[in-house]
Amino acid sequence: MNLTNYHSHCSFCDGHAPLEDFVKAAIAQGFTSYGISSHAPLPFSTRWTMDWSQMPDYLAECRRLKKKYAKEIELYVGLEIDYLNEDSNPAIDPFRNLPLDYRIASVHLLYDDNDEVVDIDCSLDKFRTIVDEHFDGDIMRVVCLYYKRLFRLVDLGGFDILGHADKMHYNANTYRPGLLDEPWYDTLMHDYFAAIANKGYMVEINTKAFHQLGTFYPNQRYWNLLKELGIRVLVNSDAHYPERINNGRAEALRALSDVGYTHVMELHQGCWKEVAITLS
Ligand SMILES: [Zn+2]
Ligand SMILES: [Zn+2]
């Protein structure tokens, strides 16, 4: 039943429980393969990312749990790495040299006109304030900046899975209703997914907000396109709470099957494999 998840946080970053609690929850729910992907360090401290000083403990704890639960579940260690700028992204050596099983790449941050870092992966209210106060209400510019960074991330490489590929769409489309139907935006998305397909990355179907907001990332309207482009997908819950590791997974698998996907990617015996979708 494709009980896997590779996008999961824990108390090493902004997750709300120790790593072992996520592993125990995965075992209790019959998951066969599970990966931890704490937010990778940035050049500055934040409340949601790890610091480099924590890295040895993070890797050691993953190793300990892999061993402890080897008979019950396949455990993997990854990171969710941000594209911040040319000096801090998944392609740089400090990340490439880590002994990780896989890497997720995401964009959460933009620079405003004053070169100040702003976090656009936020609530709708906060997003409105940021667009209005940091970008003079120019949502089109914010959208373009966001995807420009994602294009650069895709170009630079150093990762396996693209995380929540169009996450900003929900806030942006609420800020400007109808945005997703605007031709320029649609063209941008087609170019974006074509670039991703060209590089051969896996794209996650991120289910984190499905129960609250009713949308996946990427938005379901692009799944036919993903299929046409031959993009391999996997279903990830981006869980920050152990009780949410399975949220939206069955719904995502059904919706993938509806657009013609027959397989999802799973990590088994250390290799990414295409596994047939089994609907519950
Ligand atoms: Zn993220
Ligand atoms: Zn995440």
Side-chain angles (χ1 to χ4, degrees):
M1 287 180 45
N2 316 103
L3 281 159
T4 67
N5 175 41
Y6 305 101
H7 192 155
S8 176
H9 298 278
C10 66
S11 46
F12 275 98
C13 55
D14 60 347
H16 294 268
L19 210 165
E20 189 160 7
D21 288 5
F22 286 85
V23 176
K24 284 181 182 165
I27 293 168
Q29 295 195 45
F31 278 56
T32 55
S33 173
Y34 198 88
I36 289 285
S37 57
S38 277
H39 287 290
L42 287 164
F44 42 83
S45 282
T46 76
R47 52 157 195 85
W48 54 279
T49 51
M50 286 171 64
D51 283 327
W52 275 108
S53 60
Q54 292 171 275
M55 194 60 75
D57 287 347
Y58 176 67
L59 296 172
E61 178 64 353
C62 290
R63 264 197 309 273
R64 181 182 78 83
L65 297 174
K66 270 188 190 194
K67 225 182 202 169
K68 181 173 175 184
Y69 295 105
K71 288 204 175 80
E72 289 148 283
I73 193 166
E74 289 187 51
L75 274 185
Y76 295 100
V77 55
L79 279 177
E80 180 179 12
I81 310 172
D82 262 73
Y83 174 84
L84 173 70
N85 56 37
E86 293 297 294
D87 299 322
S88 183
N89 62 65
I92 64 171
D93 283 342
F95 291 127
R96 285 190 191 266
N97 294 338
L98 289 172
L100 300 171
D101 295 311
Y102 67 94
R103 291 154 176 84
I104 300 175
S106 303
V107 167
H108 303 95
L109 304 169
L110 299 183
Y111 284 98
D112 69 8
D113 292 339
N114 300 318
D115 256 354
E116 192 186 315
V117 174
V118 285
D119 187 343
I120 45 83
D121 192 76
C122 57
S123 68
L124 187 55
D125 281 349
K126 208 171 156 212
F127 182 79
R128 275 185 205 285
T129 308
I130 286 171
V131 176
D132 292 341
E133 291 179 5
H134 292 255
F135 298 95
D136 288 331
D138 190 347
I139 184 69
M140 195 164 162
R141 202 163 107 250
V142 176
V143 168
C144 288
L145 275 176
Y146 178 68
Y147 286 105
K148 192 176 170 199
R149 297 165 72 70
L150 282 158
F151 270 103
R152 185 63 185 146
L153 171 74
V154 165
D155 224 25
L156 284 169
F159 64 93
D160 308 281
I161 302 163
L162 189 64
H164 45 68
D166 67 344
K167 191 166 181 189
M168 204 179 74
H169 88 265
Y170 183 84
N171 280 347
N173 192 57
T174 310
Y175 187 95
R176 180 151 119 187
L179 174 77
L180 303 197
D181 295 320
E182 293 177 23
W184 71 273
Y185 186 88
D186 203 51
T187 302
L188 179 67
M189 296 312 289
H190 275 70
D191 293 347
Y192 174 51
F193 286 116
I196 293 164
N198 194 33
K199 292 276 188 178
Y201 301 119
M202 293 179 271
V203 168
E204 71 171 6
I205 303 299
N206 185 301
T207 65
K208 184 185 177 194
F210 184 69
H211 286 171
Q212 298 100 296
L213 306 178
T215 187
F216 298 112
Y217 309 117
N219 187 289
Q220 247 172 293
R221 62 164 64 204
Y222 308 111
W223 293 10
N224 270 313
L225 174 65
L226 264 60
K227 179 82 182 67
E228 275 167 32
L229 290 167
I231 292 175
R232 299 165 302 155
V233 296
L234 64 165
V235 177
N236 281 337
S237 60
D238 197 354
H240 289 65
Y241 297 85
E243 58 273 25
R244 297 187 187 172
I245 60 171
N246 205 15
N247 278 14
R249 193 183 51 82
E251 293 92 330
L253 288 168
R254 204 164 303 123
L256 281 170
S257 169
D258 287 345
V259 299
Y261 270 101
T262 54
H263 291 74
V264 284
M265 301 308 292
E266 297 185 8
L267 192 46
H268 292 291
Q269 289 85 43
C271 297
W272 288 103
K273 292 176 180 160
E274 295 198 334
V275 177
I277 294 176
T278 309
L279 298 176
S280 50

